[in-house]
Amino acid sequence: MPRYALGIDLGTTNSALSFVALDEDATAAPALLPVPQVVHAGEVGTRELLPSFLYLPGAVELPAGALALPWDPARSYAVGAFAREQGESVSARLVSSAKSWLSYAGVDRRSAILPWASPADVEKVSPVDASARYLQHLREAWNAEHPDAPLEDQDLVITVPASFDAVARELTVEAAHQAGIGERLTLLEEPQAALYAWVAANGDGWRKQVQVGDLILVVDLGGGTTDLSLIAVGEEEGTLQLRRVAVGDHILLGGDNMDLALAYAVRTRLEAEGKKLDDWQMRALTYGCRTAKEELFADPARQSFPVVVPGRGSKLIGGAIRTELTRDELTRTLVDGFFPVVGSDARPQVPRRVGLTTLGLPYASDPAVTRHLAAFLGRQIGAAANLPAGIHAAGRSYLHPTAVLFNGGVTKAPVLRDRIVEVLDAWAAAEGGAKVKVLEGGDPDLAVAKGAAYYGRVRAGRGVRIRGGAARSYYVGIERAELAVPGIPPRIDAVCVAPFGMEEGSETTLPDVLGLVVGEPAVFPFFASSSRRDDPVAVRVDPAELEELSPIETTLAGPAGQVVSVQLHARYTEVGTLELAAVDPATGNRWKLEYNVRAE
Amino acid sequence: MEAERLGFMTRLWMFFWLPFKVLFDSSAAWKVEQALTGASSVALPQPAAEKPQPPPEPKPEKKAEPAKPKEPDVAQALHLLAVLQRDGRFVDFLQEDVAAATDDQVGAAARIVHEGCRKALAQYFTLQPVRNEAEGTQIVVPEGFDPSQIRLTGNVTGKPPFRGTLAHPGWRAAEVRLPAPPDGQDVRVIAPAEVEL
């Protein structure tokens, strides 16, 4: 019997583990596990967060035992604070943003490709491996502290971005299995976790802060990603119900981009003064700018904060470069640069394609969070029909949120929260809507982990649950039955196999009967959409309107060459993943379709 | 000018070294304190600015048991130096000749040292004042007070109890979380040489 509900925030830049005892009364708040980790070579310390960085040292680089952990004196790699710090000066051996790679279909996510673009003699791991090592570290840390209640026996919730598609979710589960976790695992979308944490922090008071007809916008601005979700407040049998009605796309844009932008702004000024900075100094400048930013945000009366870049050698005083970050630069670069005041019809600007692009993570090309927000709310107007009465009014060009919950480190800055609220209010005012209210009492850094643990307890039967089902609709590509024309590939129809909002535990079957050849791999193109919410099962759609994911495939076992008639099944599992299978209706034989994440 | 710079450096020095001395070498700590008192009129703290002026005044004290290592623990001492250098470039700062540098330059470097060492200090020590009264308050030093906790200065005559003004509330390391120096490494290396490849 599990004794705890555990929540793991497996973040792009930081991870955390929160827990709550299942036998405690429902008001107990989730606590955080202090995570032992190597913080300096040869030194283990505990931190609330585990930086999601993996360092793969060279054979002679560190003294023996420098990476020893209390539970593994012979550890040969580092995860956490030391990995991040060491990796800043030896970047070719640092794995970072593994989570972003996990959701990027442009590479084979199971092959050893990280650290990305590092020399051939550096040991490499796959995005799945790296995620598994973070999870394994958390598991070991928990088990060292709770030998009588090992993590693998507890109820565990791992959070994923709402924007993760079925493949990225599956790979997250795979990483968990690799880390020895998985028997009692559930996935939860991060913005939902943030809202759960807010509900947990407010106790019953949350029912006073929102009413039926509220539409809550969760703005989750983390270190590396921006994640948006809409959650509607409805009513059923007299009690408030929460339903997640829309999720945004995966936007690789976060606080790290902002700190870097500040550093570049300051560097430009320094270079104009004739001071050149090398890479090492640039990192020190980025660090200094982050500190200065936090100080300026904390004290609105201050007009500037000094930034000092130390000399590289032993000459600290002679080699230091002193400058300062001014409020004007901060406002121009960060507030207006990343959160410009735009109209609700603004859309992210897509740059002209350059002939040669380097393969790598598809970072957002438009840094304006407000434009991404406008695009999200505008595109999700289709969700209006599914909302409880009173949320949407005819004649509006986008979905008007009535409340906003901020999450993620970036939103700790009041200036940035105020700017987002100002922009939302201006959009609403232009269409006769009301101002949004800000849901207070969140915990931007730790809410996701805590909300995940809280959700674990909700699943055990206590507290309000956010409904939602699948955040996308999914389609399988099937060739049209028509005369073959030499030289022209057969046309493909995308057939809806899992409709939008499909509930956990439910299953669908496509009526089409397909003939599959035994012994040969059968490969189907696979598609998804986050905005087509009315497509029923089996409807045929033009693939051009969808987002293509990794293909799905299976190889039927049996006497080679034989043809078997199968139907495709889809099941949205309790874990929160989508499982596809080919089933022979005659015999009941079932072949699981795997996501093929090998790059084309 | 000169005096001001010295005063500033001294403050930094005291800020980082006092807890360390007290911790690992009680006799050295005592000597430093004595030296400070003796020297205060000579070259040490000058500027009116900050808290540093040492001479505290007599006061009562009942709590008694400061940890007293008999032998200086060289490895721990060196490790603390290494930590302060790593996080705040402490040794670089003290080893550099400041005579030729302008106050602006020294000030800029001091920010690096201050930020880094302050973080290290907070990480590994919990510091508290020895006396919780505000500086400048009148307090009473009772009979049987602990002279390692309270140093009397000025017109020290007669017997306790004494009445006096609290000139400096003192510092005490309430908690020490300094990790053991890593095994198998040369403890005398305060900062490894760095070679960029």
Side-chain angles (χ1 to χ4, degrees):
Chain A
M1 268 303 280
R3 287 166 45 202
Y4 296 94
L6 270 52
I8 291 182
D9 173 5
L10 183 60
T12 315
T13 48
N14 282 297
S15 298
L17 193 163
S18 173
F19 64 97
V20 61
L22 284 172
D23 54 6
E24 272 167 24
D25 68 284
T27 55
L32 219 67
L33 176 79
V35 185
Q37 53 195 282
V38 178
V39 293
H40 299 289
E43 182 185 335
V44 172
T46 55
R47 302 282 187 272
E48 279 193 330
L49 298 173
L50 177 73
S52 309
F53 293 83
L54 168 66
Y55 187 76
L56 303 161
V60 295
E61 187 184 336
L62 296 168
L67 304 180
L69 288 167
W71 53 82
D72 182 4
R75 187 59 52 106
S76 63
Y77 58 88
V79 164
F82 174 69
R84 180 176 56 191
E85 185 196 296
Q86 179 73 6
E88 281 182 2
S89 43
V90 193
S91 57
R93 295 185 174 277
L94 178 72
V95 177
S96 60
S97 300
K99 183 178 177 179
S100 300
W101 288 101
L102 207 57
S103 63
Y104 177 42
V107 295
D108 179 351
R109 288 163 272 179
R110 288 195 191 100
S111 72
I113 54 167
L114 302 178
W116 183 249
S118 65
D121 64 330
V122 171
E123 178 196 349
K124 295 201 177 58
V125 300
S126 75
V128 175
D129 295 333
S131 305
R133 292 199 194 183
Y134 306 147
L135 290 170
Q136 187 191 339
H137 188 102
L138 290 171
R139 174 183 164 217
E140 290 164 341
W142 169 272
N143 288 356
E145 187 73 14
H146 300 88
D148 52 334
L151 181 137
E152 48 274 26
D153 296 341
Q154 313 305 313
D155 279 342
L156 177 66
V157 175
I158 296 180
T159 61
V160 293
S163 51
F164 258 27
D165 61 36
V167 185
R169 284 170 201 239
E170 182 71 31
L171 292 172
T172 304
V173 171
E174 200 172 304
H177 286 176
Q178 208 169 307
I181 304 170
E183 283 309 304
R184 313 183 63 93
L185 170 67
T186 313
L187 300 182
L188 174 67
E189 292 169 9
E190 283 156 14
Q192 289 191 41
L195 191 64
Y196 277 120
W198 175 80
V199 167
N202 281 278
D204 277 342
W206 76 271
R207 292 171 205 277
K208 301 195 179 72
Q209 289 200 52
V210 293
Q211 290 88 36
V212 175
D214 267 330
L215 185 59
I216 303 169
L217 168 68
V218 183
V219 179
D220 187 354
L221 296 172
T225 52
T226 293
D227 207 7
L228 304 167
S229 282
L230 282 170
I231 295 170
V233 183
E235 189 172 22
E236 228 168 74
E237 294 166 358
T239 56
L240 291 186
Q241 295 291 340
L242 299 172
R243 174 167 283 275
R244 193 264 289 109
V245 291
V247 304
D249 288 333
H250 205 57
I251 307 168
L252 289 186
L253 173 66
D256 295 348
N257 307 57
M258 299 177 193
D259 292 342
L260 208 55
L262 278 181
Y264 276 106
V266 173
R267 185 177 79 165
T268 308
R269 179 157 49 77
L270 286 173
E271 282 179 345
E273 295 166 10
K275 293 170 185 158
K276 295 284 274 179
L277 299 184
D278 61 21
D279 285 358
W280 188 89
Q281 289 172 311
M282 188 61 196
R283 281 194 297 274
L285 178 64
T286 310
Y287 178 81
C289 283
R290 184 184 310 150
T291 308
K293 173 194 77 175
E294 282 160 9
E295 294 289 338
L296 286 175
F297 277 149
D299 179 2
R302 252 197 120 111
Q303 285 311 305
S304 69
F305 194 87
V307 174
V308 183
V309 179
R312 175 77 168 99
S314 65
K315 293 279 170 283
L316 179 66
I317 300 173
I321 297 173
R322 185 190 184 283
T323 180
E324 56 186 18
L325 180 68
T326 64
R327 180 160 297 278
D328 181 52
E329 276 171 327
L330 181 69
T331 307
R332 200 160 12 91
T333 311
L334 226 161
V335 186
D336 293 339
F338 286 87
F339 302 88
V341 176
V342 296
S344 62
D345 56 350
R347 294 295 179 261
Q349 292 162 357
V350 182
R352 260 180 316 132
R353 289 249 164 194
V354 186
L356 275 173
T357 52
T358 329
L359 188 62
L361 284 176
Y363 291 108
S365 52
D366 189 332
V369 172
T370 41
R371 278 196 281 268
H372 289 284
L373 183 56
F376 167 64
L377 294 175
R379 197 178 53 244
Q380 294 297 344
I381 186 92
N386 303 354
L387 292 176
I391 291 186
H392 189 66
R396 291 181 178 172
S397 67
Y398 71 98
L399 281 183
H400 290 202
T402 59
V404 57
L405 176 69
F406 289 110
N407 191 53
V410 174
T411 66
K412 282 190 288 190
V415 181
L416 301 184
R417 287 203 302 266
D418 292 349
R419 170 56 67 86
I420 292 174
V421 169
E422 173 196 334
V423 168
L424 285 171
D425 284 347
W427 293 348
E431 297 189 357
K435 286 178 183 294
V436 298
K437 59 191 159 201
V438 177
L439 302 184
E440 302 291 354
D443 179 354
D445 280 328
L446 303 172
V448 168
K450 289 182 174 176
Y454 177 83
Y455 173 67
R457 188 167 58 191
V458 168
R459 284 175 60 86
R462 293 160 133 172
V464 65
R465 185 162 175 177
I466 303 171
R467 315 253 191 96
R472 289 148 192 260
S473 44
Y474 290 92
Y475 308 79
V476 173
I478 295 178
E479 282 177 22
R480 278 197 193 174
E482 55 190 10
L483 280 179
V485 181
I488 297 188
R491 284 188 293 174
I492 301 238
D493 275 334
V495 183
C496 182
V497 62
F500 194 97
M502 187 171 174
E503 297 281 349
E504 286 165 22
S506 64
E507 182 161 353
T508 61
T509 306
L510 279 189
D512 307 57
V513 176
L514 310 168
L516 296 192
V517 182
V518 174
E520 287 177 15
V523 182
F524 300 93
F526 191 49
F527 308 90
S529 167
S530 62
S531 56
R532 299 181 63 93
R533 49 189 75 237
D534 299 322
D535 289 341
V537 175
V539 75
R540 286 168 186 268
V541 181
D542 180 357
E545 293 176 24
L546 307 171
E547 176 194 354
E548 179 156 13
L549 309 179
S550 301
I552 48 176
E553 68 172 27
T554 189
T555 302
L556 275 53
Q562 192 186 340
V563 174
V564 181
S565 298
V566 297
Q567 283 181 304
L568 295 186
H569 285 234
R571 200 163 76 84
Y572 195 61
T573 65
E574 297 286 351
V575 174
T577 54
L578 187 69
E579 253 179 32
L580 296 151
V583 178
D584 180 349
T587 62
N589 284 345
R590 196 179 176 97
W591 295 269
K592 193 181 170 199
L593 289 156
E594 307 283 353
Y595 298 110
N596 174 352
V597 296
R598 287 186 297 276
E600 293 300 304
Chain B
M1 210 51 199
E2 180 69 14
E4 245 179 76
R5 243 183 264 145
L6 265 173
F8 179 67
M9 302 278 293
T10 308
R11 292 202 294 280
L12 266 173
W13 173 268
M14 299 237 341
F15 186 53
F16 296 114
W17 278 89
L18 228 44
F20 157 69
K21 292 275 188 197
V22 170
L23 259 177
F24 299 114
D25 189 338
S26 56
S27 71
W30 179 239
K31 270 187 265 165
V32 166
E33 289 185 36
Q34 283 190 315
L36 282 178
T37 336
S40 70
S41 57
V42 184
L44 278 188
Q46 299 260 24
E50 325 243 288
K51 56 188 171 189
Q53 311 283 28
E57 295 272 334
K59 278 348 76 159
E61 265 314 304
K62 34 228 106 163
K63 0 181 184 172
E65 39 0 22
K68 294 189 187 171
K70 315 103 207 139
E71 293 291 312
D73 182 342
V74 173
Q76 277 286 26
L78 289 169
H79 185 50
L80 179 60
L81 257 191
V83 164
L84 294 176
Q85 162 68 13
R86 181 192 71 203
D87 291 353
R89 308 280 301 268
F90 185 60
V91 176
D92 284 347
F93 184 64
L94 295 185
Q95 289 296 97
E96 203 165 344
D97 177 17
V98 294
T102 66
D103 281 7
D104 268 2
Q105 288 174 316
V106 177
R111 281 189 187 280
I112 299 167
V113 178
H114 182 264
E115 188 190 342
C117 292
R118 185 183 167 84
K119 221 151 75 186
L121 211 58
Q123 182 102 53
Y124 298 115
F125 302 95
T126 304
L127 297 185
Q128 288 171 352
V130 174
R131 300 290 309 206
N132 291 317
E133 295 91 343
E135 271 180 29
T137 358
Q138 292 291 320
I139 60 174
V140 175
V141 182
E143 222 170 311
F145 71 95
D146 177 357
S148 71
Q149 300 207 28
I150 293 182
R151 185 170 61 244
L152 305 174
T153 61
N155 186 19
V156 187
T157 55
K159 287 182 183 169
F162 299 113
R163 298 190 65 82
T165 310
L166 182 65
H168 190 300
W171 288 113
R172 158 208 303 282
E175 255 182 75
V176 181
R177 297 174 291 272
L178 201 61
D183 285 340
Q185 297 178 29
D186 184 349
V187 293
R188 289 186 177 265
V189 175
I190 291 164
E194 292 182 28
V195 181
E196 180 102 27
L197 303 183

